[in-house]
């Protein structure tokens, strides 16, 4: 069953609040090979959303960043996986009770529970992935001890949309999401803008199905299930030959539908490079829209462990290399010879401000 919804301003920044948070953004995370003296008995912790740490996507990347930082700090992290939304608050209570000094919560779905926990435990430090911790939408973080880590993935999705428009032979590309949260629809926004930009620049009529900038196709959740497969199938039935599923494990259902289609269809991944995190779908992957979640998590945990926790929001962009797109991998010989060069030029133009990509995180 497909769910059509209006674009919601839930689980993230409001349009009015985005600029306020952007004004106080932290600088880009940088790879570090040196650490200071770790805080004695520092205990980092993490709780996943319902996707779990093996989702091949943002939960897994967050876990990898935590693991790397913990190894460098010489500490053993405490991690807990949520099975359902009802687990979020109890899992946070459990981590507080276990003496955590820093708690990383993964995903916008944990926003309310994170804010509640942070307000109740002002001496602890919190990092939340993919959410602004601004549940009253006033442009301010709801608790002073929470660091939001966000990504303006519309910029990278713009590049992916451009590539999809160049690659398609049916002139129809599609996208669908798990739920209509800003951190989901931001991919779809950028993707459509990139397709439309290509169409205007090249005079090639390419249609985006599944998202029109306001309304779109959503499964109602982030599980790899029959609903996700049927949603993908509905786009495939409309002759889409490039598909962007946005929402963790739902890509697995999309891949199953694509393999059953009996024709060539390419997929675009989100968050991680799916060719690397899930080689079973490597032959389907045109590219992936990347968030450097592992790097941002690593830097945040490392800073906290060194007594340098900074609650200022971090927003990944093309300019600070917090977002990007993966190589074409198996499709390198299938894309046009000029595409990579055009994407390089387009990325430079976006960074320079010569090409505008609209999103709720754009300053």
């Amino acid at each position: 069953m497909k769910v059509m919804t209006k674009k919601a301003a839930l689980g993230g920044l409001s349009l009015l609040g985005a600029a306020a948070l952007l004004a106080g953004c932290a600088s880009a995370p940088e790879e570090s090979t040196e650490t200071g003296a770790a805080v004695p008995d520092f205990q980092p912790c993490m709780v996943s959303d319902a996707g779990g740490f093996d989702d091949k996507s943002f939960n897994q990347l967050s876990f990898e960043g935590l693991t790397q930082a913990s190894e460098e700090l010489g500490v053993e992290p405490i991690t807990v996986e949520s099975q359902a939304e009802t687990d979020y608050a109890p899992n946070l209570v459990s981590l507080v009770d276990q003496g955590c000094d820093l708690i990383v919560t993964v995903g916008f779905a944990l926003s309310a529970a994170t804010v509640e926990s942070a307000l109740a435990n002002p001496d602890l430090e919190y990092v939340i992935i993919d959410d602004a911790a601004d549940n009253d939408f006033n442009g301010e973080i709801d608790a002073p001890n929470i660091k939001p880590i966000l990504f303006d993935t519309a910029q990278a999705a713009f590049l992916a949309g451009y590539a999809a428009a160049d690659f398609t032979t049916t002139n129809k590309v599609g996208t669908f999401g798990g739920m209509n949260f800003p951190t989901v629809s931001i991919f779809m926004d950028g993707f459509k803008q990139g397709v439309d930009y290509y169409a205007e620049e090249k005079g090639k009529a390419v249609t985006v199905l599944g998202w029109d900038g306001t309304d779109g196709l959503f499964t109602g959740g982030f599980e790899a299930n029959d609903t996700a497969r049927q949603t993908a199938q509905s786009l495939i039935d409309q002759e889409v030959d490039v598909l962007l599923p946005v929402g963790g494990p739902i890509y697995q259902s999309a891949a199953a539908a694509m393999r059953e289609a009996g024709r060539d269809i390419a997929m675009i991944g989100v968050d991680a490079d799916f060719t690397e995190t899930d080689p079973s779908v490597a032959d389907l992957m045109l590219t992936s829209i990347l968030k450097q979640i592992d790097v941002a998590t690593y830097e945040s945990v490392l800073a906290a462990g060194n007594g340098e926790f900074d609650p200022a929001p971090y927003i990944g962009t093309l300019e600070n290399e917090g977002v990007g797109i993966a190589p074409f991998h198996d499709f390198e010989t299938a894309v046009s010879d000029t595409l990579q060069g055009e994407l390089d030029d387009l990325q430079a133009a976006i960074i320079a401000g010569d090409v505008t990509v609209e999103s709720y995180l754009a300053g």
Side-chain angles (χ1 to χ4, degrees):
M1 180 178 183
K2 299 180 290 295
V3 181
M4 298 292 292
T5 68
K6 289 285 185 180
K7 186 175 181 182
L10 299 173
L13 294 168
S14 66
L15 294 175
L16 294 176
L21 276 178
L22 277 166
C25 285
S27 59
E30 296 180 358
E31 291 285 1
S32 173
T33 57
E34 298 182 1
T35 65
V39 174
D41 301 320
F42 174 70
Q43 181 60 69
C45 301
M46 177 176 286
V47 56
S48 78
D49 74 358
F53 293 128
D54 62 349
D55 66 351
K56 316 298 183 185
S57 188
F58 65 97
N59 280 286
Q60 180 172 320
L61 289 173
S62 301
F63 181 81
E64 290 172 356
L66 171 72
T67 300
Q68 181 184 358
S70 297
E71 289 176 351
E72 292 191 18
L73 291 168
V75 298
E76 186 69 29
I78 298 173
T79 61
V80 58
E81 290 186 301
S82 303
Q83 302 301 316
E85 184 177 352
T86 52
D87 293 338
Y88 299 154
N91 281 342
L92 282 166
V93 170
S94 172
L95 292 178
V96 171
D97 290 345
Q98 292 181 73
C100 297
D101 298 300
L102 173 74
I103 300 177
V104 182
T105 61
V106 187
F108 53 82
L110 281 93
S111 185
T114 302
V115 169
E116 181 180 3
S117 182
L119 290 173
N121 300 280
D123 294 334
L124 303 187
E125 297 167 345
Y126 292 77
V127 171
I128 186 165
I129 308 296
D130 258 356
D131 189 79
D134 177 20
N135 292 297
D136 56 7
F137 306 111
N138 67 352
E140 298 178 358
I141 304 169
D142 292 342
N145 51 333
I146 301 177
K147 180 182 183 65
I149 294 179
L150 298 146
F151 300 88
D152 192 358
T153 43
Q155 294 185 350
F158 190 101
L159 301 178
Y162 187 97
D166 187 76
F167 183 78
T168 180
T169 58
T170 65
N171 292 347
K172 293 181 180 180
V173 299
T175 182
F176 70 97
M179 297 179 72
N180 196 0
F181 291 104
T183 45
V184 174
S185 61
I186 191 172
F187 284 93
M188 303 160 84
D189 279 336
F191 181 72
K192 177 171 170 50
Q193 289 176 63
V195 171
D196 292 346
Y197 179 84
Y198 181 95
E200 182 177 350
E201 291 290 307
K202 300 287 189 175
K204 179 180 178 181
V206 183
T207 301
V208 178
L209 301 177
W211 182 252
D212 65 6
T214 302
D215 295 339
L217 278 177
F218 296 91
T219 65
F222 297 96
E223 297 80 20
N225 55 24
D226 194 56
T227 300
R229 190 195 63 76
Q230 290 179 15
T231 304
Q233 187 63 53
S234 72
L235 292 168
I236 292 170
D237 289 344
Q238 296 178 73
E239 298 184 346
V240 160
D241 64 353
V242 182
L243 186 59
L244 169 65
V246 185
I250 66 172
Y251 81 89
Q252 298 166 9
S253 301
M258 291 165 63
R259 294 196 187 283
E260 294 171 1
R263 61 183 178 86
D264 292 335
I265 305 170
M267 183 190 293
I268 295 175
V270 298
D271 295 333
D273 184 344
F274 283 3
T275 296
E276 296 181 350
T277 61
D278 187 358
S280 71
V281 297
D283 61 312
L284 300 176
M285 302 309 304
L286 176 62
T287 185
S288 294
I289 301 163
L290 306 177
K291 299 177 184 177
Q292 299 297 338
I293 295 174
D294 51 346
V295 176
T297 304
Y298 161 78
E299 289 289 340
S300 298
V301 174
L302 199 65
N306 289 324
E308 300 171 352
F309 176 76
D310 178 8
Y314 164 73
I315 298 181
T317 64
L318 287 176
E319 184 173 13
N320 64 28
E321 299 182 352
V323 300
I325 62 171
F328 292 119
H329 293 300
D330 291 357
F331 280 74
E332 187 172 356
T333 58
V335 301
S336 67
D337 294 340
T338 61
L339 179 57
Q340 187 59 61
E342 291 177 33
L343 291 174
D344 292 342
D345 292 342
L346 183 55
Q347 175 169 320
I350 293 171
I351 292 172
D354 297 330
V355 173
T356 300
V357 182
E358 296 180 357
S359 82
Y360 76 100
L361 289 177

